[in-house]
Amino acid sequence: MSWAEVAPTAAPAAAVVDTRSRAAPVHRLERGSAFAVRAEAARLERAGQDVVHLELGEPDWQPPPAVIDAFPAALADGGRRYTEAAGELDVRLQVAASYSELMGSRVDPGRVVLMPGSNMVLYLTLLAVAGHGDEVLLPDPGFPPYAELIRLAGAVPVPYPLRREAGFLPDADEIGSLVTRRTRLIIVNSPHNPTGSVIPGALVEEIMQVVDRHGLYVVFDEAYREFKPGGGRPSLHGDRAEHPRAIFMESLSKSHSMCGWRAGIAITAPELAKDLADLMVNTTCCMPSVVQRIIPAALNSREWVTGRVAEAARRRRLVHGELATMPGIRSEAVGEGFYLFPDIRGTGLSDREFSRRLLAGAAVSVVPGGTYGRQGAGHVRIACTESVERLTEAMSRMRVFLEGMAWTRSIP
């Protein structure tokens, strides 16, 4: 008798049942981002296509030499251990000294919290100040994770419009009109992703008057601060920088080409900083210690950053100049940074269809403007983060693609 004859018959495999609750926070996500576009572009690359990536805001240059040089020593010097949840005191002292100079106001290390990326700064801030059903005002168009993180925290995103005809700048009176008894927080981003607009100081003060009038918190997303004219001064400075309900959400990803390092910095009032540190204890424990220890080298690389900012501006001018002469495209290079947000409605296509066809027909990857909100519809975001040669190649492909399309028409 063989084994097969005596072995029990295998039971049929049970169907896998997903028992997750539909009320789980992950189901609040809308899941639209530049990373989704990048994934589709990567699929074409695996099939042998030469894709020019203009979707992610990820500079192509290496981080400052001082950062690279500092890494081995940081790794060797106990980089495997936990640190204080807010970050190593010695590092926070150096961060505080750097920002004291930038802000023209003393920043105590007790106001500094180091986090793995600026997205974490926003998320933990939301958990600290907004309850379930509370409202958060955010720019439209705006960085997609703003709305996603607000939803994950159980709050309600309320967009305030940035209109093309107003240079993609907010209207403080309009922001004020959106405030209700449930409003807890306003998010302000300057220079702005995806449009590049820079909010002038007088307008920042008008927004702060709304904040003070209603007792709100305000997050200043300073991820592109270094790209501002005049050396990257923070949105609030002097006495205003000590506002008890202001949170500065800083990142080294864009300015220092450290996207994968996840170096985020929060600067806020000591009471809120302590709350953020308590939340860090219960989420990621601390920023990786080896990353913390290279932050001072990054902050001391200002001359290097100045050079990269100038290069980003050169690339942006090049792309804007090309776009301005293409059929069906209206490009207005407002503000600073390395993004352009051209109006593509003259092609007769939606932003999603335009992006899809451009990728499929010319192997150039851009992000549909609707990804960033209702006000972004009819636009695409172009990240001028590739080399001049690759940007030139992308613009050549795009021009040939547009000129060959029978549906191209003039913008009304």
Side-chain angles (χ1 to χ4, degrees):
M1 181 178 293
S2 70
W3 169 252
E5 291 176 300
V6 299
T9 303
V16 177
V17 178
D18 187 348
T19 60
R20 294 181 300 168
S21 168
R22 290 303 302 174
V26 70
H27 297 303
R28 301 172 192 157
L29 294 174
E30 293 188 356
R31 305 175 191 266
S33 73
F35 284 93
V37 177
R38 180 63 172 262
E40 179 60 22
R43 186 187 66 79
L44 290 182
E45 283 185 315
R46 289 192 295 272
Q49 289 268 26
D50 173 32
V51 177
V52 184
H53 292 280
L54 307 183
E55 74 287 302
L56 285 187
E58 186 176 41
D60 67 327
W61 45 70
Q62 291 294 311
V67 169
I68 302 298
D69 293 344
F71 183 75
L75 186 62
D77 186 23
R80 63 186 176 85
R81 296 185 179 276
Y82 292 122
T83 72
E84 295 179 56
E88 292 188 3
L89 178 57
D90 181 59
V91 176
R92 287 188 289 122
L93 281 165
Q94 294 181 71
V95 171
S98 178
Y99 281 88
S100 294
E101 181 181 343
L102 285 168
M103 292 178 166
S105 175
R106 185 177 184 277
V107 176
D108 185 272
R111 294 177 58 196
V112 177
V113 185
L114 307 180
M115 300 192 196
S118 60
N119 282 13
M120 184 62 76
V121 176
L122 177 59
Y123 185 51
L124 297 190
T125 296
L126 290 164
L127 295 181
V129 308
H132 185 80
D134 285 341
E135 296 173 351
V136 179
L137 303 183
L138 69 159
D140 174 9
F143 185 44
Y146 293 159
E148 302 285 36
L149 293 175
I150 291 167
R151 294 189 191 97
L152 282 178
V156 178
V158 178
Y160 61 85
L162 309 181
R163 298 182 176 88
R164 180 177 59 81
E165 55 270 24
F168 293 110
L169 291 173
D171 182 305
D173 290 336
E174 192 166 20
I175 290 176
S177 72
L178 295 170
V179 175
T180 73
R181 61 183 180 82
R182 300 305 304 269
T183 308
R184 297 290 177 267
L185 176 70
I186 299 175
I187 301 173
V188 178
N189 178 208
S190 175
H192 178 251
N193 174 16
T195 70
S197 62
V198 178
I199 303 177
L203 181 50
V204 170
E205 181 55 34
E206 290 180 25
I207 294 171
M208 291 305 297
Q209 290 173 12
V210 175
V211 168
D212 290 338
R213 186 160 60 247
H214 297 281
L216 306 176
Y217 285 85
V218 57
V219 167
F220 286 98
D221 182 352
E222 305 274 273
Y224 300 89
R225 175 184 54 77
E226 296 278 9
F227 295 88
K228 288 182 181 178
R233 199 172 192 183
S235 296
L236 295 184
H237 42 270
D239 293 341
R240 269 304 202 186
E242 300 178 32
H243 194 285
R245 294 186 305 280
I247 303 97
F248 296 89
M249 179 171 124
E250 179 69 274
S251 168
L252 302 182
S253 292
K254 314 302 182 179
S255 56
H256 292 73
S257 194
M258 293 170 59
C259 296
W261 296 66
R262 310 314 303 139
I265 300 169
I267 299 176
T268 189
E271 297 80 10
L272 183 54
K274 184 179 183 305
D275 289 343
L276 295 178
D278 287 343
L279 287 165
M280 282 286 289
V281 168
N282 293 284
T283 51
T284 62
C285 296
C286 62
M287 178 194 285
S289 57
V290 67
V291 177
Q292 291 184 41
R293 293 176 183 184
I294 56 86
I295 288 176
L299 296 179
N300 289 329
S301 301
R302 292 186 181 176
E303 185 175 343
W304 181 93
V305 171
T306 299
R308 301 291 79 72
V309 168
E311 173 61 16
R314 182 170 80 99
R315 296 178 179 188
R316 193 163 175 266
R317 287 193 300 269
L318 181 152
V319 174
H320 168 63
E322 292 292 327
L323 292 173
T325 62
M326 291 187 190
I329 306 294
R330 174 179 286 169
S331 178
E332 299 175 23
V334 301
E336 303 293 338
F338 43 64
Y339 298 126
L340 289 168
F341 202 57
D343 186 326
I344 54 83
R345 287 175 294 174
T347 65
L349 296 176
S350 71
D351 49 274
R352 291 192 180 278
E353 184 64 11
F354 177 89
S355 300
R356 188 190 69 79
R357 291 199 190 190
L358 183 65
L359 179 59
V364 175
S365 182
V366 299
V367 186
T371 303
Y372 301 91
R374 290 182 60 187
Q375 296 295 326
H379 299 73
V380 296
R381 193 191 75 168
I382 295 176
C384 307
T385 50
E386 291 289 308
S387 68
V388 167
E389 292 73 23
R390 290 295 280 171
L391 291 173
T392 301
E393 171 67 17
M395 293 300 100
S396 175
R397 293 183 190 182
M398 188 170 174
R399 183 182 299 279
V400 170
F401 172 75
L402 288 169
E403 291 176 347
M405 300 301 291
W407 39 260
T408 301
R409 60 181 173 82
S410 299
I411 294 178

